[in-house]
Amino acid sequence: MVSQLALKSRINSTASLGKIFNAQEMIASSHISKARTVALNAKPYSDVIFDAVQALAAHTDIDHPIVKSRQANNPRVAVLALTADRGMAGAYTSSIIRQTESLLSTLDAQGKQPELYVYGRRGVSYYKYRGRDIADTWEGQTDHPGVEVAREISDELLADYMKPAEEGGVSELYIVFTEFINMVVQKVRVLRMLPVEVIGGYADEQSRRAAKAHQEFVEQSAGRSNAASDDGQESAGSIETAVSEQAESAEEKLRQDHPLYLFEPSLEAVLDAILPKYVQSRIHECLLTAAASETASRQNAMHTATDNANKLIDELTRKLNVSRQAAITQELTEIISSADALNKKEE
């Protein structure tokens, strides 16, 4: 049986750890509200820029780095992993590293050459310890990043993206971060920032709607033609003209729903101005939502650790009471045995 001194020592050390865990939980609780608000407030601006770029890509034939890499044959791509500076956040950093490793393996299998960029002291330590080549690193303030670090990261990544292949440029930019869903759920995501992907974009939606409208008009014209076949060829011709006018009206409505764009002073000038703002806003949004996710993960982890510490203290206290009770029982047994022995000796 473990000695009472050892049990008391473990109880005291566990209680000290429990106080640290509880303090970390309270600190995270005080920060999470602001971090969540900042992350949610930054999302609309980034989403609007992304939607605008998608709309431009859908409605215009753009030959610009924002939607089409000018180094299509360049296998070098950039991967930015957003980790944490501090621990005590549960599986936050390990989940990002696991997803980053999966992305790097996928890119290697595709014949590409990933260049790794890491933000956060934990991720930097992990990859340096394992001898992984890192293109560049950033550390500090992962739980409350500012605009300056987002600008610094975006400037370097954009500069590498715009470089020619022979000067070490990259053809794609990926970012691995944790998206803040709510206080309980944080999801690791992989985002391809450049070139922008038009996934289920406006052009595809417009084409589907136009095809559906055209098919409905064809079916209506066929039904009306069959119903009016006895009225002669002139009636069929008038129906065909009416259907054509309806189709043109529907196409005009589609164009109004998804307007084309006019650029002043030019398309290149507009996109050259949008590109750095787009990259910086996306990176800043990812940094903010990652900071909110880190704080939420730390709060949840510290809450769980505090509960586990309290449970361990209760278990050790029960063991200490059992040990103390056994020692007292043994002492009483020895006293009673000694008293009996003295009584028998006197007799």
Side-chain angles (χ1 to χ4, degrees):
M1 183 177 292
V2 183
S3 65
Q4 296 183 29
L5 183 62
L7 289 173
K8 290 180 180 179
S9 177
R10 290 187 61 186
I11 290 174
N12 292 332
S13 61
T14 305
S16 299
L17 288 176
K19 292 179 181 179
I20 296 175
F21 297 151
N22 187 40
Q24 291 291 336
E25 180 187 357
M26 295 177 64
I27 294 173
S29 300
S30 64
H31 291 169
I32 185 59
S33 178
K34 181 179 179 180
R36 177 178 56 189
T37 302
V38 172
L40 294 178
N41 289 341
K43 185 175 177 60
Y45 176 77
S46 178
D47 289 344
V48 167
I49 290 185
F50 181 68
D51 291 341
V53 172
Q54 277 201 327
L56 293 176
H59 289 290
T60 57
D61 186 12
I62 299 177
D63 185 13
H64 191 271
I66 199 170
V67 294
K68 186 184 299 184
S69 176
R70 293 176 180 173
Q71 308 175 46
N73 297 325
N74 183 10
R76 192 177 293 109
V77 298
V79 177
L80 172 63
L82 303 183
T83 63
D85 279 335
R86 299 184 293 116
M88 294 186 174
Y92 174 79
T93 297
S94 60
S95 299
I96 297 174
I97 291 176
R98 184 165 53 250
Q99 185 64 49
T100 302
E101 291 292 336
S102 176
L103 176 61
L104 295 176
S105 300
T106 302
L107 294 174
D108 287 333
Q110 295 175 356
K112 298 180 180 180
Q113 301 174 7
E115 298 285 336
L116 183 61
Y117 298 78
V118 182
Y119 175 62
R121 191 174 297 112
R122 305 286 290 187
V124 173
S125 301
Y126 174 86
Y127 285 108
K128 284 186 176 180
Y129 178 77
R130 283 157 180 78
R132 176 86 188 194
D133 294 334
I134 304 177
D136 202 355
T137 62
W138 297 270
E139 299 179 10
Q141 300 180 348
T142 59
D143 52 350
H144 47 87
V147 180
E148 295 78 11
V149 66
R151 183 182 299 112
E152 182 180 350
I153 296 174
S154 63
D155 289 346
E156 179 166 348
L157 291 179
L158 186 58
D160 291 343
Y161 181 72
M162 300 300 292
K163 283 181 184 178
E166 55 272 13
E167 296 181 8
V170 297
S171 59
E172 296 177 357
L173 294 181
Y174 293 88
I175 182 169
V176 183
F177 68 103
T178 305
E179 181 182 10
F180 179 83
I181 307 298
N182 52 48
M183 287 298 300
V184 179
V185 180
Q186 297 87 39
K187 182 179 180 181
V188 180
R189 286 191 56 198
V190 176
L191 172 67
R192 196 182 86 172
M193 290 188 296
L194 289 174
V196 175
E197 292 180 302
V198 183
I199 303 175
Y202 296 93
D204 296 337
E205 179 65 21
Q206 182 175 352
S207 299
R208 286 194 295 269
R209 291 174 62 185
K212 182 179 179 180
H214 179 70
Q215 181 65 26
E216 290 178 354
F217 293 143
V218 170
E219 293 175 355
Q220 291 177 6
S221 65
R224 293 177 181 177
S225 297
N226 293 333
S229 60
D230 296 336
D231 294 339
Q233 185 175 2
E234 183 178 356
S235 176
S238 62
I239 292 176
E240 182 178 356
T241 303
V243 170
S244 178
E245 292 176 353
Q246 292 178 359
E248 293 177 358
S249 176
E251 292 176 358
E252 179 64 25
K253 186 177 184 304
L254 289 174
R255 285 194 293 270
Q256 293 177 358
D257 291 341
H258 302 283
L260 299 178
Y261 290 84
L262 296 177
F263 300 93
E264 291 291 344
S266 66
L267 175 61
E268 289 291 333
V270 172
L271 292 181
D272 288 343
I274 289 178
L275 180 57
K277 296 181 182 296
Y278 164 75
V279 175
Q280 181 178 338
S281 65
R282 295 293 280 180
I283 291 179
H284 192 211
E285 180 204 353
C286 292
L287 290 175
L288 293 177
T289 187
S293 300
E294 178 186 349
T295 305
S297 298
R298 181 169 290 110
Q299 179 185 2
N300 294 331
M302 292 299 97
H303 179 75
T304 302
T306 302
D307 290 344
N308 291 337
N310 293 332
K311 292 179 181 178
L312 181 59
I313 290 174
D314 293 340
E315 181 179 354
L316 293 175
T317 302
R318 284 194 296 270
K319 290 183 178 180
L320 177 62
N321 292 336
V322 170
S323 177
R324 183 184 295 113
Q325 184 177 5
I328 293 173
T329 302
Q330 183 177 358
E331 290 177 0
L332 290 175
T333 303
E334 291 176 354
I335 292 173
I336 294 172
S337 299
S338 301
D340 291 340
L342 290 175
N343 291 334
K344 291 181 179 178
K345 187 175 180 181
E346 291 177 357
E347 293 176 355

